[in-house]
């Protein structure tokens, strides 16, 4: 697997946005990606230094949709939370309007 295709997209939730303020950033990654490959991909794509990585596979769930409320199975996915060296950040997680 090529390390340029490891990261699928950033993962935005309330918790991930709070973690971004502390230097931890969460991404959806390929299920087959391992920690060294994720580290290499994040460092190459965002030009940052990664200190620690935590990964988890989120179990797929089912939901009902349509007029007949047919049950649809959503696939499982893998997310990686990456901790950077203090002082570094990834700009796409920067929420300007969140200050209260």
């Amino acid at each position: 697997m090529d390390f340029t295709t490891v990261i699928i997209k950033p993962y935005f939730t309330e918790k991930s946005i709070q973690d971004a303020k502390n230097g931890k950033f969460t991404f959806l990654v390929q299920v087959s990606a391992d920690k060294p490959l994720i580290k290499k991909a994040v460092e190459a794509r965002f030009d940052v230094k990664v200190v620690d990585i935590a990964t988890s596979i989120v179990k797929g769930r089912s939901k009902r949709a349509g007029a007949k409320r047919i049950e649809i199975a959503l696939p499982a996915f893998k997310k990686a939370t990456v901790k950077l060296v203090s002082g570094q950040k990834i700009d796409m997680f920067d929420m300007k309007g969140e200050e209260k």
Side-chain angles (χ1 to χ4, degrees):
M1 177 184 325
D2 186 17
F3 73 90
T4 58
T5 61
V6 170
I7 300 172
I8 298 172
K9 64 181 181 178
Y11 190 63
F12 293 112
T13 61
E14 289 181 20
K15 184 176 190 298
S16 69
I17 291 170
Q18 289 298 320
D19 284 346
K21 295 176 184 174
N22 298 324
K24 294 181 180 180
F25 302 94
T26 307
F27 298 96
L28 291 182
V29 295
Q30 298 287 336
V31 176
S32 59
D34 56 354
K35 288 182 181 183
L37 190 60
I38 295 168
K39 179 179 178 178
K40 188 175 178 182
V42 170
E43 287 178 347
R45 189 170 196 177
F46 300 106
D47 195 31
V48 292
K49 179 70 176 151
V50 175
V51 175
D52 189 31
I53 298 175
T55 60
S56 64
I57 295 177
V58 179
K59 183 180 170 184
R61 62 182 185 92
S62 61
K63 70 175 187 176
R64 294 186 176 270
K68 294 185 178 182
R69 308 304 292 164
I70 297 170
E71 193 168 305
I72 299 170
L74 298 175
F77 61 91
K78 187 174 192 174
K79 65 180 181 177
T81 302
V82 178
K83 183 175 182 180
L84 303 181
V85 173
S86 63
Q88 290 187 337
K89 65 178 183 174
I90 297 175
D91 289 332
M92 72 175 65
F93 284 87
D94 193 18
M95 299 292 179
K96 299 285 186 200
E98 292 293 320
E99 308 334 302
K100 287 188 177 181

